């Protein structure tokens, strides 16, 4: 089991460029999440999904889009990169077991927008 | 939205010392989780707490779910160099639109001197 995998590990973008951060999980989890981590700020939820075809906004969704066409994949799209989107992005998944649900995190993507 | 205050922000300790950190919330949580993040990696779950007053141990780690359901504590006994990392608390709300979603504290950076 690979768990949650993310690609790329690092990326530098110019302002206005677009890119897709990939996330795949092989645990057959229903729930998937995207977070961003800024220094000293903990993790902020960007978008989440409770199953294929269902997505919803988290705390900081502006500037991002997601899709969930399969159970395994949950890509995050940045359309017009801005310096404020420089951050470390983590994808997570969980089985969706209610209060005992546990989120498993990928290794992260470090994005710099110049 | 829900706010979590985690303290201290950072700690510098000698190997063998005990460590305490805590999180307080402006609202009630039904689940408290403690994660550890190693450099360049995603957070990994250490301890999960599901009932007010619950005290749970995982090796040298002990965590408690506060009686008011608005706070939680993590203690590490006899610290070792591999305890170095960032420790995050996370809380899960009472249900409805917050069901499944976590709110994270800002993190405590732990440095252990040999």
């Amino acid at each position: 089991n690979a768990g949650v995998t993310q690609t790329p590990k690092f990326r530098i973008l110019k302002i206005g460029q677009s890119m897709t951060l990939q996330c795949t999980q092989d645990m057959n989890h229903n729930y998937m999440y995207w977070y961003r981590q800024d220094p000293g700020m903990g993790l902020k939820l960007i978008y989440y999904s409770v199953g294929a075809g269902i997505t919803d906004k988290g705390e900081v969704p502006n500037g991002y889009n997601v899709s969930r066409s399969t159970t395994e994949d949950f890509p995050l799209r940045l359309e017009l990169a801005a310096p404020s989107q420089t951050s470390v992005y983590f994808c997570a998944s969980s089985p969706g077991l209610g209060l005992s649900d546990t989120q498993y995190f990928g290794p992260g993507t470090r994005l710099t927008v110049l | 939205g829900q706010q979590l205050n985690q303290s201290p922000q950072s700690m510098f300790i000698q190997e063998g010392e005990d460590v305490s950190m805590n999180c307080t919330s402006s609202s009630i949580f039904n689940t408290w989780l403690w994660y550890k993040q190693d450099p360049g990696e995603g957070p990994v779950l250490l301890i999960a707490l599901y009932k007010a007053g619950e005290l749970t141990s995982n090796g040298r780690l002990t965590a408690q779910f506060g009686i008011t359901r608005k706070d939680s504590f993590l203690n590490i006994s006899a610290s070792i160099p591999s305890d170095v990392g960032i420790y995050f608390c996370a809380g899960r709300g009472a249900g409805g639109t917050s069901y499944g979603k976590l709110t994270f504290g800002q993190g405590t950076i732990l440095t252990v001197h040999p």
Side-chain angles (χ1 to χ4, degrees):
Chain A
N1 261 3
V4 180
T5 57
Q6 292 182 238
T7 57
K9 202 159 177 63
F10 303 95
R11 184 71 186 268
I12 298 175
L13 283 182
K14 293 183 180 176
I15 295 172
Q17 285 186 320
S18 61
M19 78 164 292
T20 299
L21 282 67
Q22 301 292 344
C23 175
T24 300
Q25 54 94 6
D26 63 0
M27 298 174 281
N28 201 31
H29 285 171
N30 290 320
Y31 287 27
M32 295 187 75
Y33 313 81
W34 273 106
Y35 293 90
R36 59 176 288 170
Q37 183 180 31
D38 301 313
M41 298 294 290
L43 286 88
K44 301 288 187 185
L45 183 65
I46 304 171
Y47 270 95
Y48 68 103
S49 168
V50 300
I54 307 169
T55 63
D56 207 350
K57 296 177 181 178
E59 192 179 350
V60 289
N62 290 345
Y64 307 95
N65 277 304
V66 294
S67 59
R68 184 97 182 269
S69 56
T70 66
T71 299
E72 296 78 20
D73 300 306
F74 191 41
L76 178 72
R77 179 89 179 153
L78 283 71
E79 290 294 348
L80 290 169
S84 61
Q85 294 178 304
T86 294
S87 189
V88 181
Y89 291 83
F90 289 100
C91 179
S93 73
S94 68
L97 298 176
L99 287 179
S100 62
D101 202 39
T102 297
Q103 291 186 20
Y104 298 86
F105 285 81
T109 294
R110 185 175 295 274
L111 176 67
T112 302
V113 182
L114 301 174
Chain B
Q2 292 168 325
Q3 301 279 338
L4 275 188
N5 288 315
Q6 185 172 348
S7 65
Q9 282 189 312
S10 60
M11 303 182 76
F12 298 85
I13 62 169
Q14 292 292 129
E15 183 176 358
E17 288 184 358
D18 296 343
V19 172
S20 290
M21 58 191 79
N22 69 84
C23 272
T24 58
S25 168
S26 58
S27 54
I28 289 171
F29 285 114
N30 281 352
T31 304
W32 280 97
L33 305 170
W34 285 93
Y35 284 86
K36 184 192 178 201
Q37 184 180 22
D38 290 326
E41 302 291 333
V44 174
L45 183 67
L46 296 173
I47 292 180
L49 303 158
Y50 303 112
K51 281 197 254 186
E54 180 180 353
L55 186 72
T56 297
S57 293
N58 178 7
R60 293 178 295 104
L61 278 63
T62 302
Q64 184 161 25
F65 192 143
I67 291 290
T68 64
R69 293 166 66 194
K70 290 186 176 183
D71 56 6
S72 179
F73 305 86
L74 176 70
N75 295 316
I76 306 173
S77 62
S79 59
I80 58 178
S82 62
D83 290 335
V84 164
I86 306 176
Y87 292 79
F88 290 100
C89 62
R92 178 176 290 123
T97 56
S98 68
Y99 196 72
K101 292 187 284 184
L102 296 177
T103 300
F104 282 83
Q106 305 97 317
T108 294
I109 302 171
L110 179 63
T111 304
V112 180
H113 294 289

